[in-house]
C-alpha cells in the first residue's frame, strides 16, 4: 500500500534525499548515498593513524565484511567494519553551528547568545509563546514572533520539554511542575551504547591525527540477532 502524508515524508528514501541535499561529501563519488555541494562538509579520515586501517584489515581477516564507509551500504546489512567519515576540515571540527549559523553571523536579524541556558518553553494555554533562559545571572524571557524550535539533543530536548510541563503527568506532578500536555513518551526509551577502549604503547611517539576515533566496527554477538548489538 503506498505511503501517504507524514509516513511518506519520513520513509527511508525521503530522509536519504535530505541527507544528500545537505551533505558536501569529499570522498569517492557515490551518488546513490552521498551528496555534494551542501553545507555539511564530510570526508573520509585523511591520513589515518596506522591502527585504524589495521583494525579494519583485522576484521576482514576473520571474515567480517569491510566497507568504504560506515554510512550507506554498511548500515543496511548485517554490519561490518570501515574507516570513519569525519566532520573535520583543515584540521578543525565542523560543528552544526559552524556549518549552518556561522556564515550568517553578520545578519541583523540573527542574535546568538553564548553562555545562555534554556530552562523552559513558555506557553499561553497550549501554544508556545517563547522561552525562558538563564543568562548573565538573571532569568530572562524571550518572546517568539512565529515559532519556537528546540534542537538541544537527545538529552536536553526532553529535559526542557518536561521542565515546560510536557511529559508524563504523574512524573511532572511528583516534581511539582504544572502540566501543559500529558505526553508520556517524553524522556522515555533513551538507550546508551557500549564502548570499549584499548591502550597500546608505541616504541616511538606518533603525532596525533584527526580525532580519537578513525575506524568503526558493528557486528552481532549472536548470529540470530536482527541487527548488530
Amino acid at each position: 500500500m503506498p505511503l501517504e502524508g507524514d509516513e511518506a515524508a519520513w520513509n527511508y528514501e525521503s530522509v536519504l534525499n535530505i541527507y544528500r541535499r545537505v551533505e558536501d561529501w569529499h570522498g569517492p563519488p557515490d551518488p546513490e548515498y552521498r551528496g555534494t555541494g551542501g553545507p555539511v562538509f564530510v570526508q573520509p579520515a585523511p591520513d589515518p593513524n596506522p591502527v585504524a586501517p589495521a583494525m579494519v584489515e583485522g576484521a576482514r581477516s576473520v571474515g567480517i565484511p569491510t566497507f568504504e564507509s560506515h554510512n550507506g551500504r554498511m548500515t543496511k546489512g548485517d554490519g561490518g567494519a570501515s574507516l570513519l567519515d569525519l566532520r573535520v576540515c583543515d584540521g578543525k571540527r565542523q560543528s552544526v553551528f559552524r556549518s549552518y549559523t556561522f556564515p550568517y553571523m553578520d545578519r541583523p536579524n540573527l542574535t546568538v547568545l553564548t553562555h545562555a541556558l534554556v530552562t523552559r518553553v513558555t506557553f499561553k494555554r497550549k501554544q508556545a509563546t517563547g522561552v525562558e533562559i538563564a543568562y548573565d545571572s538573571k532569568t530572562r524571557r524571550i518572546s517568539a514572533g512565529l515559532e519556537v524550535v528546540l534542537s538541544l539533543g537527545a538529552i536536553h530536548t526532553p529535559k526542557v520539554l518536561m521542565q515546560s510541563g510536557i511529559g508524563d503527568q504523574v512524573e511532572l506532578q511528583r516534581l511539582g511542575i504544572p502540566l501543559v500536555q500529558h505526553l508520556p513518551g517524553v524522556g522515555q526509551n533513551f538507550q546508551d551504547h557500549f564502548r570499549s577502549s584499548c591502550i597500546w604503547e608505541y616504541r616511538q611517539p606518533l603525532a596525533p591525527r584527526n580525532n580519537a576515533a578513525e575506524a568503526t566496527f558493528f557486528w552481532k554477538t549472536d548470529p540470530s540477532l536482527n541487527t548488530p548489538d
Side-chain angles (χ1 to χ4, degrees):
M1 187 172 69
L3 297 174
E4 297 180 358
D6 291 342
E7 289 180 325
W10 287 102
N11 65 15
Y12 179 87
E13 286 301 325
S14 296
V15 175
L16 179 59
N17 285 334
I18 294 172
Y19 276 98
R20 278 195 293 250
R21 188 171 71 245
V22 304
E23 187 178 49
D24 187 20
W25 170 241
H26 285 254
D30 183 4
E32 182 178 356
Y33 291 105
R34 314 307 299 243
T36 57
V40 179
F41 181 95
V42 187
Q43 67 173 341
D47 188 26
N49 189 298
V51 171
M55 193 211 82
V56 176
E57 173 59 23
R60 187 203 62 76
S61 71
V62 294
I64 294 170
T66 60
F67 295 82
E68 72 284 355
S69 169
H70 63 284
N71 291 304
R73 294 176 185 83
M74 179 169 149
T75 61
K76 293 180 73 174
D78 290 330
S82 74
L83 295 180
L84 279 175
D85 299 336
L86 299 181
R87 296 264 290 121
V88 175
C89 181
D90 296 329
K92 295 181 180 179
R93 178 178 177 270
Q94 301 297 296
S95 65
V96 174
F97 174 84
R98 175 68 60 175
S99 297
Y100 280 93
T101 308
F102 188 77
Y104 306 108
M105 287 291 286
D106 58 347
R107 289 188 176 182
N109 61 343
L110 173 65
T111 299
V112 176
L113 291 180
T114 59
H115 306 293
L117 177 68
V118 177
T119 53
R120 68 186 184 98
V121 179
T122 57
F123 288 91
K124 184 177 182 180
R125 297 184 181 89
K126 291 191 176 183
Q127 181 174 356
T129 59
V131 294
E132 191 173 90
I133 67 172
Y135 179 67
D136 196 22
S137 301
K138 298 178 181 178
T139 298
R140 303 171 186 259
R141 284 193 171 189
I142 300 175
S143 298
L146 185 62
E147 63 181 342
V148 176
V149 177
L150 292 184
S151 182
L152 307 174
I155 296 176
H156 289 286
T157 300
K159 183 196 78 170
V160 169
L161 285 173
M162 289 187 285
Q163 289 177 174
S164 308
I166 299 175
D168 182 80
Q169 182 174 1
V170 174
E171 186 71 11
L172 296 180
Q173 288 177 340
R174 185 178 69 83
L175 298 170
I177 299 174
L179 181 71
V180 173
Q181 177 65 50
H182 173 58
L183 205 62
V186 175
Q188 302 299 312
N189 302 319
F190 179 79
Q191 297 181 40
D192 206 346
H193 59 83
F194 294 99
R195 175 180 176 179
S196 59
S197 300
C198 54
I199 300 174
W200 66 92
E201 183 176 336
Y202 282 115
R203 294 180 178 178
Q204 296 178 347
L206 285 180
R209 309 183 191 189
N210 302 317
N211 63 0
E214 295 179 340
T216 189
F217 165 64
F218 293 99
W219 202 241
K220 303 174 182 179
T221 57
D222 184 341
S224 65
L225 294 173
N226 291 327
T227 57
D229 60 343

